[in-house]
Amino acid sequence: MPRLFGTRPDGETVEQVTISSGALTASLLTHGATLQDLRLQGVAHPLVLGSPRLEDYLGPMAYFGATVGRYANRIAEGRFTLDGTTYQLDRNEAGRTCLHGGRAGIGLRNWTLEASTPDSATFALLLDDGDMGFPGRCAVTVSYRATGTALEITMEATPSAPCPISLAHHSYFSLDSSGDVTGQTLQIAAQHYLPVDDRLIPLGKIAPVKATPFDFRTPREIGHHGYDHTFCLDADRTAARLTGRDGLVLEVETDAPGLQVYNAAHLPTEGLPGLDGLRYGPRAGLALETQEWPDAPNQLTFPDAVVRPGEVYRNRTVYRFAQAAQAQGS
């Protein structure tokens, strides 16, 4: 049963609902359709960065664990042209880009808890035509399901007019209690990545990872490089594998074409208050966001991200946990 988590400044109440497979337990919020906490039986620490207080999600921890869109990541100048019409979006990042759908993107809205069972929950949101500048009304749902040691997240959207859509799950994962992901080991099934400019907008070229700091084709430590980039995923493979210092493994499976890897370097050095009394400083977690490629509406060589009436946008991602020995044997 949902319980009251807090009240937003607009007077709307935010509900929290908990789902569980027995081994894996997830706490979810209607605000942002957010994964607020994630626990695995036998592991003492939370697996995602989160807060027990709503006010943190309304401030410095905006997007932590949220479902972001209507277009995740960035669109250059907050502008694109589709079928001969130019659309100006809300520019919420220093007036230069549209980030995660604008100042009132879906990760900052209060969703409706549409359905829940002991192991699943579905949230829904209806966006108006012209919301944040995007064309068409758009019905969005996100469903969480706990099964075994995995959390399955399915995001769907149906627009009433042609519209670029990219939805992403924005948790920061940490697989040990060190408070620093630099020593955790990452592997990504990607031969290429997208170089970006100083606004983090792709330059338009698809670059090989070989002989660069972006080569995670074989497992290696994350290190201190500044990662906030999209990896162009290989098809039909586990997208990524993150391994903590204690041997806990997170495998990411997805049908999305891109994986945004961000090492939370922007977090304040004094830290943010988190779950279980933890403090989150720079590189306290790793975002593994499965999504369409950023700025795709303006990049003709990128996979088409436009969804047309009668079509359904869908992004299904599974975050699966195991101990290292079990993962190697799977």
Side-chain angles (χ1 to χ4, degrees):
M1 290 291 294
R3 70 172 187 87
L4 178 66
F5 186 78
T7 303
R8 291 160 44 104
D10 58 10
E12 291 188 353
T13 58
V14 174
E15 294 181 313
Q16 181 189 58
V17 63
T18 299
I19 63 174
S20 179
S21 66
L24 192 71
T25 300
S27 296
L28 309 164
L29 305 179
T30 54
H31 174 81
T34 292
L35 174 60
Q36 179 253 341
D37 196 355
L38 186 64
R39 307 284 175 144
L40 181 65
Q41 190 175 47
V43 176
H45 56 83
L47 302 177
V48 295
L49 308 190
S51 173
R53 309 185 310 168
L54 176 61
E55 51 262 42
D56 293 328
Y57 291 101
L58 301 176
M61 295 177 68
Y63 303 129
F64 279 49
T67 304
V68 297
R70 166 181 329 194
Y71 202 92
N73 214 311
R74 293 167 175 87
I75 295 179
E77 307 301 333
R79 186 185 304 120
F80 64 89
T81 299
L82 176 59
D83 297 340
T85 299
T86 298
Y87 296 91
Q88 181 61 61
L89 310 176
D90 181 63
R91 290 180 291 188
N92 61 322
E93 194 177 38
R96 301 193 302 173
T97 65
C98 179
L99 172 66
H100 296 329
R103 275 169 283 190
I106 65 175
L108 306 175
R109 301 283 184 91
N110 200 26
W111 297 51
T112 298
L113 177 60
E114 193 171 65
S116 65
T117 70
D119 64 359
S120 68
T122 298
F123 301 90
L125 190 65
L126 181 61
L127 303 174
D128 292 334
D129 181 19
D131 184 84
M132 295 291 103
F134 288 94
R137 287 165 60 88
C138 190
V140 187
T141 62
V142 56
S143 297
Y144 292 87
R145 185 169 70 95
T147 174
T149 60
L151 184 66
E152 178 182 325
I153 306 173
T154 303
M155 296 168 276
E156 295 186 342
T158 53
S160 67
C163 183
I165 296 176
S166 177
L167 308 181
H169 179 72
H170 203 296
S171 277
Y172 293 99
F173 294 93
S174 185
L175 302 187
D176 56 45
S177 57
S178 68
D180 185 348
V181 297
T182 58
Q184 297 183 20
T185 300
L186 181 63
Q187 182 177 11
I188 303 174
Q191 308 293 319
H192 298 84
Y193 79 104
L194 301 180
V196 296
D197 63 17
D198 63 351
R199 302 168 300 164
L200 299 176
I201 296 294
L203 296 171
K205 60 182 179 180
I206 303 169
V209 300
K210 185 177 181 180
T212 76
F214 302 93
D215 192 350
F216 288 96
R217 291 175 297 170
T218 57
R220 65 179 180 83
E221 285 192 1
I222 297 167
H224 289 85
H225 187 83
Y227 293 107
D228 196 357
H229 296 75
T230 295
F231 288 78
C232 311
L233 294 175
D234 299 342
D236 302 322
R237 292 180 58 186
T238 297
R241 180 179 285 112
L242 178 66
T243 304
R245 294 172 180 83
D246 301 329
L248 184 63
V249 176
L250 167 61
E251 293 183 337
V252 183
E253 301 172 6
T254 186
D255 52 13
L259 178 72
Q260 184 79 8
V261 175
Y262 177 49
N263 62 355
H266 78 288
L267 297 187
T269 54
E270 66 272 19
L272 297 172
L275 300 169
D276 290 2
L278 297 171
R279 294 196 69 84
Y280 305 140
R283 300 178 175 84
L286 188 71
L288 298 166
E289 307 163 55
T290 64
Q291 57 186 243
E292 308 304 306
W293 292 8
D295 201 38
N298 296 311
Q299 307 269 0
L300 297 180
T301 61
F302 286 7
D304 186 11
V306 173
V307 182
R308 297 184 178 274
E311 299 176 344
V312 178
Y313 170 90
R314 190 170 186 266
N315 175 347
R316 177 183 176 273
T317 300
V318 178
Y319 296 99
R320 178 174 288 105
F321 299 89
Q323 293 299 322
Q326 295 171 320
Q328 291 170 0
S330 63

